[in-house]
Every structure is written in structure tokens, then in C-alpha cells.
Amino acid sequence: MPQPPYRKASQVLKDPLFTVTADTLVAVDFGSRTRSRPPGPYRRLFAHPGARAFTVGNLIARLPMGMFSVSAVVMIAGSRGSYALAGAVTATGLAATALVAPWTARLVDRYGQARIAVPATLFAALGSLALLLCVRYDAPAWTLFAAYAATATTPNTGGMSRARWAHLLKGDAESLHTANSFEQAADELCFMLGPVLAAFLCGTFFPEAGTLVGVLLLVTGVLAFAAQRSTQPPPRGGTADANDTNVKSPLRAPGMPSLLTVCLAMGAVFGSTEVVTIAFADAQGHRTAAGAVLALQAAGSCAAGLWFGRLSLSGPAEYRYPWCIAAMTALLTLPLLAASLTGSLLLLSIALLISGMATAPTMITNMALVQRRTPEGRLNEGMTLAVTALLGGIAAGSATGGWTVEHLSPTAGYGVPITAAAAALLISLAATPSGARGTARPAPTARQTTDNPSRHSPPTA
């Protein structure tokens, strides 16, 4: 009697099983019921070769950016007993960064990320260690200013990561929008976790612990990031040096001055909100909770940034930009209302969480426009100028918010970020028509990071 051919058990499970019950033929399918779904935008993003490796290194290097200033304040104030001295030292470091960072970024563009970022990071690390030793061994006050100013050579790791995405995803505007959204969310996450980690290390172990761990993370992260040569954008090199006179500075590029002015106003929003929130929490008798309250605002921005990266956007980013700033201005009224009408720190926390959700979409669109308007070969410099403007705005906003709190009230201080956001809105509205006409292009390029006419349109080179 012939036997049926032998089949493996896995094949039996794949084929339907037929049986008869009474006069009915029944087919039972034992195949898998799982349905394969197309990968999401972030999975597609990190499927590119080398993307995960350079992102991990960059995140490690970026986390200390939120640690160093807090660690320096705790370390100096604890040793010298003067918050005024600690604030002056950190302000000096901020001013030095504003002057040095664009030059460092220009060298990165010209000679390559690995060649410049590693020695610049090591020099900055020596500055942080020198500050630690000067504080530890009671050196004269002027040495603190000199040591902390040396940390200004720290490269803009976030800008270098965005430059790698622009190089890796050239011509794919949709994926580049997702990448910029991820980078903004990573910024928010690092600046949310950095101060908390620094305060924990300095308070739990010894005052210098935050600086030591920050230096270790910075050097380790930059070395790991620089080791990923396959995703590094090509440097301009010697051939571009000969033509440097023909390459416009990012400061002179059409539309860039207005963008940098908006960045200055946006920085004032962030700086004033931080100072006013600390003062408000202190007035309510919960100063130690101020960090957690500010972390909620950053968490809202981080979540909104990741959500924004999943959207398929259409239309020019120049016209979307004022709407983002308008939403941010409107949502910033919530903390003022919560503080003035209720005086509740809990409700203020919720208001800051909601208002923070407009931050990431605004900054993502801002950085996309900065990338579009930066001349070819100077992308790191252009983005570093934007970060420098933000830092300058943070310093100005902190000073203005502190003055308002001291001379009026913490509640009135929440009017400062609203005013700064309204100023940013007016500047963006004034610049939109000329900026849009001056940057229109027939096809998307690597710098057109948010213009995505259609999800089904093929990318163009």
C-alpha cells in the first residue's frame, strides 16, 4: 500500500488540515496568525548602517552638557560659600563658549569631526579637571575663571550628530525630519537628566563627583562617536580652503540673522522659565522640588518631539515655523494662569508639562531651517551659531527673570517667557515672506529637512 510522502512537522503546521464531520468538510489552518507590519519611521532610521553606533556615542557625550554647570555651581558654592562667585564663573564659561564654539565648529567642517573633536574635547576636559583642582586646593579666584573658560572648546556634539544624519540621509527629506526630531528629543532628555544626575552625584558622594563623572562621560562618548568614521561627513579639506573667500559665512546667509534672533528670544524663554520656577517653588516652601517640576517640562518637550518625528509634513517649513512659535506663546500662558490663579505647585507642574510640548516642534523646525540656510560645507558652524544664540538668550532670560522675581514677584516672573516668545513670534512673522521667497527650491535636498511634499514621492538627489 503506498505511503504518503514524509513531511516535517513544521511543514504540517503550515499546511491546512482537512477532516470530515458528518457530511461537512472542515479545513483547519494552523499557520501563524501574526501579521507583519511595516517598520515605523524610527526603526527605518536606525536601520542605516552605523547609525546606532554613532548615536550611542553621541548620547553619552551629550549627557554631560546638562551636568557641568550644575556641578560647577555646587562645587564652587560649597567650597567658597558664594553663589555669586559660582554664578560669575559659569557665566564666564558661557561667554567664552559663545566666542569659541563657532570657531571650533568651523574647524570641524574644514578638517573633519574626528580630527578636531577629539583634541578639542581633551582640552576641555583638562579645563574641567583644572577647575576641580583649583577649587579643591583653594587656588585664587581668578584661576577658577581661567579654568572654566578653557572648557569652551567642547565641541557641539548635537550639531555633529545632525550633520551626520544630513550626510547619511541626503535627499530623503522625510527621514531627515525624523532624525532631527529624534535629536531634539535627545537634547531634551539629556538636559532633563543631566542636572538631576549632577545634583545626585555631588550630594551623595562629594562635591567634585559631578564634574569627574561628566568629564569621563564626555571623553568616552566623543571617542566612541569619532571612531565611527563610515558615517562621518567628508571634510572640506584643502581644496575648499583655497575657495573659502567664495563661501558665505553662515551669519551672512539669507534668512540666518532672523533665525538667530529668534533663537536668542527662545533662549530667553528657557532661561527665564528656569529661574522663575525655582523662585516660585522656593516661595511655596518646596525649593527641592523645582528640579522635578522643570524635568516635567522637558519630558513634555521630549515626548512631543518623538511624536512630531512620526508625522509626514507638507508645505514649506518657513510657513510652519510661525505657527509653532504661536502655539508655544499661547501655551506659555498656562504657567502664568496656574501660578496667579491657584498658587499650586502641582497645577504649575501640569501647566509646564503641557506648555513644554510646544518646545520640541518649534526647535525642530528652527534647526531644519538653519540647516537649509547654512552654506554648503559649513553645517556644523551654522548649527553651532544657533546653539550659541540660544545660550546667549538663556543668560539674558535668567537675568531678566531673576530681576522680575526680586523686584515684583515669582508669579509676575512668568510674564517674561511669554514676552520673549511673543517677540520671537513677531520676528518670525516679519521674516517669513522674504525668507520663504529666498529659500524656495524646485526639489528637496539634504538641507530641506522638513519639506516633505508626499510620503509616496520618491526622494530626489
Side-chain angles (χ1 to χ4, degrees), residues 21 62-63 66 85 148 156 173 180 199 203 229 268 285 305 329 378 409 412 426 430 452:
T21 60
R62 210 184 308 187
L63 181 59
L85 176 61
Y148 203 66
N156 179 13
N180 282 333
R229 300 295 185 98
T329 306
R378 304 185 78 158
S409 68
L426 292 176
N452 181 25

Side-chain angles (χ1 to χ4, degrees), residues 92-455:
T92 300
L94 185 66
T97 300
L99 293 174
V100 175
W103 291 97
T104 304
R106 182 177 297 181
L107 292 174
V108 168
D109 285 328
R110 182 175 298 177
Y111 298 110
Q113 294 183 354
R115 189 174 177 183
I116 299 301
V118 172
T121 299
L122 294 177
F123 187 85
L126 290 176
S128 293
L129 294 177
L131 175 67
L132 185 152
L133 293 175
C134 290
V135 173
R136 183 78 173 179
Y137 294 103
D138 201 23
W142 67 266
T143 62
L144 308 183
F145 291 90
Y148 203 66
T151 65
T153 62
T154 305
N156 179 13
T157 51
M160 290 193 297
S161 184
R162 288 177 172 91
R164 289 201 181 209
W165 286 121
H167 169 66
L168 196 61
L169 304 171
K170 188 174 295 183
D172 188 350
E174 183 177 353
S175 295
L176 202 48
H177 164 67
T178 302
N180 282 333
S181 300
F182 170 80
E183 291 298 328
Q184 184 61 40
D187 280 340
E188 298 293 343
L189 184 63
C190 291
F191 279 99
M192 178 176 65
L193 297 179
V196 176
L197 178 59
F200 170 76
L201 292 171
C202 294
T204 304
F205 298 102
F206 47 91
E208 298 86 1
T211 300
L212 281 175
V213 174
V215 169
L216 180 62
L217 290 173
L218 176 64
V219 173
T220 302
V222 169
L223 289 176
F225 177 79
Q228 307 304 316
R229 300 295 185 98
S230 62
T231 54
Q232 178 178 263
R236 286 186 289 141
T239 56
D241 291 345
N243 299 324
D244 259 359
T245 55
N246 298 326
V247 178
K248 284 185 179 179
S249 167
L251 281 173
R252 297 200 299 267
M256 279 292 283
S258 61
L259 274 178
L260 296 179
T261 307
V262 171
C263 287
L264 193 68
M266 295 288 291
V269 172
F270 306 145
S272 58
T273 300
E274 181 176 349
V275 171
V276 173
T277 300
I278 293 173
F280 184 85
D282 191 17
Q284 299 297 314
H286 300 288
R287 185 175 186 179
T288 56
V293 173
L294 291 170
L296 281 176
Q297 184 185 30
S301 180
C302 180
L306 293 174
W307 166 80
F308 193 67
R310 298 181 64 89
L311 299 180
S312 181
L313 303 176
S314 60
E318 288 85 354
Y319 293 112
R320 187 164 56 251
Y321 191 40
W323 286 103
C324 291
I325 302 177
M328 184 176 184
T329 306
L331 290 178
L332 281 171
T333 61
L334 297 179
L336 176 62
L337 293 174
S340 58
L341 298 180
T342 68
S344 169
L345 189 61
L346 176 61
L347 291 179
L348 175 66
S349 303
I350 298 173
L352 286 171
L353 173 67
I354 298 173
S355 65
M357 292 179 179
T359 301
T362 303
M363 292 306 303
I364 291 166
T365 309
N366 177 278
M367 283 299 182
L369 290 173
V370 169
Q371 290 182 31
R372 278 190 63 181
R373 295 174 182 179
T374 299
E376 184 70 29
R378 304 185 78 158
L379 189 54
N380 281 292
E381 184 181 354
M383 288 188 289
T384 300
L385 286 171
V387 173
T388 301
L390 284 169
L391 292 176
I394 289 172
S398 298
T400 306
W403 185 92
T404 305
V405 166
E406 185 174 341
H407 291 82
L408 299 177
S409 68
T411 300
Y414 280 109
V416 177
I418 298 175
T419 304
L425 176 60
L426 292 176
I427 296 168
S428 66
L429 286 172
T432 294
S434 60
R437 288 195 299 268
T439 58
R441 287 172 174 79
T445 67
R447 281 178 172 71
Q448 290 171 309
T449 57
T450 58
D451 290 355
N452 181 25
S454 171
R455 180 178 289 271

Side-chain angles (χ1 to χ4, degrees), residues 35-127:
R35 291 181 297 176
S36 60
R37 282 196 251 175
Y42 291 103
R43 285 184 61 188
R44 292 196 302 270
L45 185 68
F46 289 103
H48 289 82
R52 295 184 182 182
F54 84 73
T55 298
V56 170
N58 190 271
L59 289 178
I60 295 173
R62 210 184 308 187
L63 181 59
M65 298 300 102
M67 297 176 60
F68 283 129
S69 60
V70 174
S71 299
V73 168
V74 173
M75 186 169 59
I76 296 171
S79 173
R80 304 297 175 95
S82 172
Y83 279 99
L85 176 61
V89 170
T90 54
T92 300
L94 185 66
T97 300
L99 293 174
V100 175
W103 291 97
T104 304
R106 182 177 297 181
L107 292 174
V108 168
D109 285 328
R110 182 175 298 177
Y111 298 110
Q113 294 183 354
R115 189 174 177 183
I116 299 301
V118 172
T121 299
L122 294 177
F123 187 85
L126 290 176

Side-chain angles (χ1 to χ4, degrees), residues 10 13-15 29-36:
S10 59
L13 291 177
K14 289 180 182 178
D15 295 338
D29 186 5
F30 289 98
S32 174
R33 293 296 189 273
T34 58
R35 291 181 297 176
S36 60

